[in-house]
Amino acid sequence: MKTILDAIKTIAVSVDALIKEGDLGYSTEHNATGDAQLKLDIAADRVIEESLSALARVRSIISEEKENELILDPKAPYTICYDPLDGSSIVDANFSVGAIFGIYEGEPAGASLVTAAYILFGRHIEMVSVERGNPPMRQRFVHGRWQLMDRKFMLKEKGRHNAPGGTQQYWPPHHKAFVDSLFAEGYRLRYSGGMVPDLHHLIVKGGGIFSYPAASDLPNGKLRQLFEVLPFALIFEAAGGQAIDHHGRRLLELAPRHHHDTTPCFFGSNYEINALKKAYGLAT
Ligand code: P6P
């Protein structure tokens, strides 16, 4: 697994350079979910595909930017699912964006996710990785080298930040009432529209909640299970938090039928997730 994580570090530096120099224009293409693709999406995807294809022990790679799985070695153990540039719709505003990786042993699903990692392209490059069972590992790339940071990064029982995703006018009433109840308790709004910076912020600040509900415009949510949701579920659970769907199921119990399936998702500290379960009429 170290070889794969080292490759992701090298990818981080290459994609960061692309973001800084790259063409922010749109291509004529669309990804599997129908999103228009930036030339940067395609360039980042190409860098990652090239790097991961050169690794041993990788059975296949599945990109958010491509419809089909790329089979590399049918006898190898790992399938790597990745979102090469998450938040490309905010990169032109110079907001921080990220890349997300889920490494699965066997058919990709919550139960087969063995390692999750994300890269945050911010003031400096930061990588967070969690291997199932191992403590979380947090490193940042500053002044040309990777520095190991605090390994603990545990969430507190209760946080102070609320990151509500989606379009409010399409939220179900009980979700709107839940989000408003946190603000009425004094929670601060922290939402950039980039999943990686928004969830990284909760981890660094020690808690709170990120929510992307089932809504009338997106009844199955927006975020993709294999490339976005399941990797962050492993990371949040490793940090002592919870990661559930709108039925109260642990996200790591999900098994998508199709590679690009999405799901409503909630990530956060215990207090906020339990409050959401109550608002949704779920057992706590
Ligand atoms: P909304 C970015 O497009 C993304 O896929 C995630 O990075 C982010 O959390 C979400 O969509 C934002 O969606 O509907 O709140 O703008």
Side-chain angles (χ1 to χ4, degrees):
M1 196 58 70
K2 185 178 179 312
T3 311
I4 294 176
L5 291 175
D6 286 346
I8 294 175
K9 287 181 182 175
T10 307
I11 286 166
V13 179
S14 309
V15 173
D16 186 60
L18 278 179
I19 294 168
K20 289 185 166 63
E21 299 143 22
D23 176 348
L24 299 185
Y26 275 94
S27 73
T28 54
E29 313 290 322
H30 288 76
N31 68 13
T33 325
D35 306 326
Q37 289 177 306
L38 288 179
K39 291 174 192 162
L40 205 47
D41 287 319
I42 296 169
D45 184 45
R46 196 173 295 129
V47 163
I48 296 174
E49 178 181 313
E50 231 166 80
S51 172
L52 298 181
S53 301
L55 296 178
R57 297 172 61 69
V58 179
R59 178 187 175 281
S60 65
I61 56 178
I62 306 175
S63 166
E64 189 211 58
E65 296 303 336
K66 287 200 282 282
E67 175 62 34
N68 301 318
E69 179 175 19
L70 176 61
I71 304 292
L72 298 167
D73 172 359
K75 294 186 299 302
Y78 300 124
T79 291
I80 305 177
C81 301
Y82 65 91
D83 181 352
L85 191 67
D86 185 80
S88 42
S89 60
I90 56 174
V91 72
D92 58 347
N94 200 21
F95 274 27
S96 295
V97 291
I100 313 167
F101 299 81
I103 299 154
Y104 299 85
E105 189 158 8
E107 184 56 32
S112 64
L113 179 63
V114 290
T115 296
Y118 65 80
I119 304 163
L120 175 63
F121 302 106
R123 185 167 57 86
H124 50 249
I125 307 169
E126 198 153 344
M127 181 174 107
V128 171
S129 62
V130 170
E131 291 179 58
R132 201 182 273 269
N134 287 10
M137 177 87 82
R138 189 165 143 220
Q139 306 187 41
R140 64 181 175 175
F141 188 80
V142 190
H143 309 312
R145 64 189 182 84
W146 287 98
Q147 298 164 354
L148 197 50
M149 297 180 69
D150 57 313
R151 278 172 175 260
K152 52 189 186 309
F153 85 82
M154 293 308 281
L155 300 185
K156 297 191 280 280
E157 194 57 21
K158 182 178 189 299
R160 295 180 301 122
H161 295 109
N162 189 6
T167 307
Q168 289 204 28
Q169 70 183 93
Y170 300 127
W171 289 348
H174 60 280
H175 183 76
K176 172 102 175 69
F178 166 70
V179 171
D180 291 346
S181 72
L182 291 183
F183 286 132
E185 278 189 56
Y187 279 71
R188 312 297 297 273
L189 170 65
R190 289 290 181 275
Y191 193 77
S192 74
M195 184 180 195
V196 174
D198 289 341
L199 285 169
H200 183 75
H201 175 268
L202 294 183
I203 287 171
V204 171
K205 299 299 181 185
I209 187 165
F210 173 99
S211 54
Y212 207 106
S216 53
D217 62 331
L218 292 164
N220 297 314
K222 174 183 183 184
L223 302 177
R224 292 80 171 181
Q225 293 186 32
L226 293 180
F227 317 108
E228 296 168 313
V229 173
L230 295 178
F232 270 107
L234 184 65
I235 290 166
F236 264 68
E237 289 198 356
Q242 293 186 50
I244 63 169
D245 70 4
H246 53 324
H247 300 302
R249 281 177 305 206
R250 286 178 61 233
L251 293 167
L252 287 176
E253 287 166 12
L254 296 183
R257 282 211 305 247
H258 305 291
H259 290 154
H260 294 273
D261 280 359
T262 61
T263 178
C265 52
F266 309 100
F267 305 88
S269 311
N270 291 317
Y271 172 86
E272 290 85 348
I273 294 290
N274 290 335
L276 177 121
K277 287 177 182 174
K278 250 170 88 189
Y280 273 59
L282 302 167
T284 51

